[in-house]
Amino acid sequence: MKPIALILLGPPGSGKGTVAKSLSAHFAIPHVSTGDILRENVKAGTELGKEVKAVMDAGKLVSDQLVNRVVEDRLARPDCAKGVILDGYPRTIEQAKVLDGVLAKAALETVILYITVDYEVIVRRLGARRSCPVCGAVYNLISKAPKKAGVCDVEGAELITRNDDKEDVIRKRLVAYDEQTQPLVDFYRARVKRFREVVGGETTTPEENAASAIRAVEQE
Ligand SMILES: [Zn+2]
């Protein structure tokens, strides 16, 4: 397979993280998440990291321009020569246009993997999460229920529904995701030959999702 830059798009709760891990293992290419590389740079105290830290310390959002430079720097490392999986980037059409130039320079072919899942399924799935306020363990009433209903397996504390897992909050996040990402999806759909879509359903397991994703990406 030619070296690819595999760009993952999919809403929160679509199982994107699991799919990214499987793809990374299958194709033996690194999984690059923007959040991780920003943190790595800060931790390692690189020149870019110092700039990022200054912005964050001031309580500001890291600008498109700075994120673009951090990603470009990461893609220039030797482990990306055979390809890369990008997750969480690009987020905007402006970033996508910059990335186009970077990928062309790196001779990586763009492949889009758009994971879609019916929003009602996501709401049910994320809405079934329960957390332990004491040890932080996360359960799911559908897929990973605690041994005894309502309490943590570890120390028996009463489980709670975090604010982020409440239905109205999940729905708001999905609407926000759509508003931000749909233009990007349309942008790529119109111009990338290898635009692949994987549809996850109510009963699709993460493994099945990952297997479909691998098949979709392997299509020429
Ligand atoms: Zn606990």
Side-chain angles (χ1 to χ4, degrees):
M1 201 169 72
K2 267 192 303 185
I4 57 168
L6 178 58
I7 297 168
L8 289 184
L9 301 172
S14 61
K16 199 156 52 92
T18 312
V19 167
K21 269 191 208 129
S22 302
L23 290 167
S24 173
H26 182 84
F27 294 113
I29 55 178
H31 169 209
V32 168
S33 122
T34 325
D36 289 348
I37 47 175
L38 286 174
R39 279 187 293 275
E40 271 168 33
N41 272 281
V42 171
K43 211 174 141 203
T46 63
E47 285 307 312
L48 279 169
K50 283 177 196 157
E51 278 186 58
V52 172
K53 187 169 184 300
V55 173
M56 285 174 164
D57 285 350
K60 291 188 191 147
L61 279 176
V62 181
S63 70
D64 264 11
Q65 213 193 10
L66 189 49
V67 175
N68 287 336
R69 281 167 54 210
V70 171
V71 172
E72 183 167 5
D73 173 75
R74 179 66 187 85
L75 290 178
R77 284 196 228 155
D79 65 335
C80 292
K82 291 203 177 101
V84 65
I85 297 169
L86 288 171
D87 182 6
Y89 180 93
R91 284 189 193 276
T92 62
I93 291 176
E94 283 63 40
Q95 287 181 345
K97 286 179 180 163
V98 173
L99 182 64
D100 260 1
V102 175
L103 297 181
K105 239 196 290 176
L108 295 171
E109 184 189 353
T110 303
V111 179
I112 306 295
L113 183 66
Y114 179 40
I115 305 175
T116 58
V117 180
D118 186 279
Y119 281 2
E120 294 310 312
V121 174
I122 294 181
V123 169
R124 274 198 294 279
R125 198 183 276 170
L126 295 182
R129 286 211 291 214
R130 296 292 179 272
S131 310
C132 173
V134 176
C135 71
V138 179
Y139 299 88
N140 190 299
L141 302 183
I142 302 168
S143 55
K144 192 190 165 218
K147 290 195 184 90
K148 188 171 165 234
V151 299
C152 180
D153 292 349
V154 181
E155 76 299 275
E158 199 169 321
L159 299 177
I160 57 161
T161 306
R162 288 190 327 158
N163 216 18
D164 270 3
D165 297 331
K166 294 199 170 128
E167 182 173 335
D168 56 327
V169 178
I170 298 167
R171 288 192 190 277
K172 274 189 199 136
R173 262 163 67 207
L174 289 170
V175 169
Y177 176 84
D178 259 351
E179 279 171 3
Q180 193 182 35
T181 316
Q182 270 313 315
L184 190 60
V185 170
D186 296 340
F187 171 84
Y188 277 131
R189 203 195 288 273
R191 48 189 283 153
V192 171
K193 195 176 122 242
R194 291 170 73 186
F195 182 100
R196 306 288 179 241
E197 205 162 334
V198 168
V199 183
E202 176 95 69
T203 56
T204 320
T205 64
E207 292 74 24
E208 287 167 343
N209 240 336
S212 323
I214 289 169
R215 279 195 302 275
V217 171
E218 280 175 339
Q219 278 171 44
E220 282 297 318

